[in-house]
Amino acid sequence: MELVCPAGTPAALRAAVDAGAHSVYCGFADETNARNFPGLNFSPDDMAQAVAYAHARGAKVLVAINTFPRAGAEPIWHRALSCAEQSGVDAVILADIGLLAHAAARHPKLRRHLSVQAAAANPDAINLYAEAFGVRRVVLPRVLTVEEISAINREVEVETEVFVFGGLCVMAEGRCSLSSYATGQSPNMNGVCSPAEHVAYSEEGHELAARLGGFTIHRTPKGAPAPYPTLCKGCFTSGPQTGHIFEDPVSLDATRLIPRLAKAGVSALKIEGRQRSRSYVAQVVRAFRAAVEAQAAGDPMPEGALARLTEGQAATTGAYAKRWR
């Protein structure tokens, strides 16, 4: 199976390629990609150099143009598509149907993948994208069990890609609306989730309080790991329960499920983490390259190698096992 690895910066891309990535995904330094943060992403010149570096070492580059264009600002997204093709990238990852139509009509030779942002989670939806827009691969949302993925693969002709490590972000449901409400910036349209200028921490007694846009989202005892300050990982009260109602502050780690995912017909395994350092990227890519090679050889999956890199030093298999609230 193809190992698709994150690169938030040119340095991280080189680290991922050198560590054994089959493919690397990245984005331009603007609102066309869902990780639009200061200090991250690629200029057009950076992208051309990155493609040359990866191709010289046998790796592919996929470009995420996966936010939804604002009304009247579509040319920004159209330019990103043109720049990606001029840079020689191997595929673009798209979500918006208008942008998919534009890419199919204006850039027919540019391979199109469907972003997780599109939330295509059944064969009818996936086949529609394939027939209407020539999509060759779909990144499945993180709400499916292995059995559901297997059922989908029996009814589609396109490749499927699934997340195996990193954040549990679903990205196409109400939790992103909570972030938009708190900060005024949309993860789905501006590519900004929990922007740093809206995050504030304060020590209150024996706790560290985290706030986003003025809303207190969690309190952590002194000395305990603090989760990433997103509303979806915040603490809420629902009836008698107070806690992480939407999402636990832990990482996805589906290493042990790789043989089952292979049997289910999955073509590519994706690692989340374009906001992470090049050191983090290198360690995770090396570990998963070893796991992919072990699966191909029929050897047991290596486990536990990445425990210290998970959020809160804890991990889950998430919806793959349907441990869902």
Side-chain angles (χ1 to χ4, degrees):
M1 289 185 287
E2 182 179 332
L3 186 59
V4 183
C5 305
T9 64
L13 182 141
R14 293 190 295 271
V17 170
D18 293 347
H22 298 126
S23 298
V24 180
Y25 68 100
C26 50
F28 291 111
D30 56 32
E31 59 191 302
T32 63
N33 89 81
R35 289 292 181 268
N36 180 26
F37 291 93
L40 290 184
N41 301 312
F42 292 64
S43 69
D45 286 344
D46 290 336
M47 190 66 72
Q49 293 173 22
V51 170
Y53 186 92
H55 286 179
R57 290 156 181 80
K60 295 184 287 187
V61 176
L62 319 177
V63 174
I65 308 175
N66 59 340
T67 49
F68 296 86
R70 291 180 290 107
E74 298 91 339
I76 298 173
W77 280 260
H78 295 170
R79 285 196 297 271
L81 275 170
S82 296
C83 187
E85 186 167 50
Q86 291 167 11
S87 298
V89 306
D90 298 278
V92 288
I93 308 168
L94 309 174
D96 181 77
I97 57 173
L99 198 59
L100 281 159
H102 178 88
R106 303 292 183 89
H107 306 278
K109 294 181 180 179
L110 187 58
R111 181 179 169 102
R112 293 173 292 285
H113 292 183
L114 188 66
S115 171
V116 67
Q117 289 277 80
N122 62 72
D124 286 347
I126 293 167
N127 287 331
L128 174 64
Y129 280 107
E131 292 165 10
F133 308 115
V135 164
R136 304 282 298 280
R137 178 185 294 179
V138 57
V139 185
L140 295 174
R142 280 161 278 199
V143 295
L144 299 169
T145 64
V146 177
E147 290 74 20
E148 288 167 336
I149 292 169
S150 180
I152 287 171
N153 279 326
R154 288 194 294 270
E155 296 187 44
V156 302
E157 297 296 327
V158 301
E159 300 169 358
T160 54
E161 178 175 311
V162 302
F163 283 91
V164 289
F165 193 81
L168 282 165
C169 188
V170 178
M171 299 192 77
E173 48 143 72
R175 296 184 297 181
C176 287
S177 296
L178 286 174
S179 180
S180 301
Y181 176 78
T183 69
Q185 292 181 277
S186 167
N188 302 115
M189 297 183 72
N190 307 110
V192 182
C193 172
S194 296
E197 64 267 26
H198 291 271
V199 176
Y201 293 97
S202 62
E203 291 189 2
E204 300 177 4
H206 296 287
E207 295 179 319
L208 178 69
R211 293 183 175 84
L212 182 67
F215 295 93
T216 302
I217 55 177
H218 51 72
R219 296 178 181 274
T220 308
K222 282 187 177 179
Y228 191 75
T230 63
L231 273 169
C232 56
K233 295 177 184 176
C235 286
F236 297 85
T237 298
S238 175
Q241 179 183 3
T242 296
H244 299 288
I245 302 296
F246 294 103
E247 183 178 308
D248 291 321
V250 299
S251 290
L252 172 69
D253 186 352
T255 305
R256 65 183 179 86
L257 298 178
I258 289 176
R260 289 180 58 198
L261 292 169
K263 189 175 181 180
V266 169
S267 300
L269 305 175
K270 190 166 197 168
I271 298 167
E272 187 273 339
R274 284 195 282 151
Q275 293 165 257
R276 303 286 190 167
S277 70
R278 58 183 177 180
S279 173
Y280 172 97
V281 168
Q283 291 178 70
V284 175
V285 172
R286 278 196 294 268
F288 272 93
R289 179 63 185 259
V292 168
E293 291 181 352
Q295 185 276 325
D299 296 332
M301 289 294 98
E303 292 193 50
L306 299 172
R308 64 189 179 85
L309 295 178
T310 58
E311 185 172 352
Q313 287 74 61
T316 177
T317 53
Y320 289 128
K322 222 59 175 183
R323 295 187 182 92
W324 207 253
R325 291 190 179 90

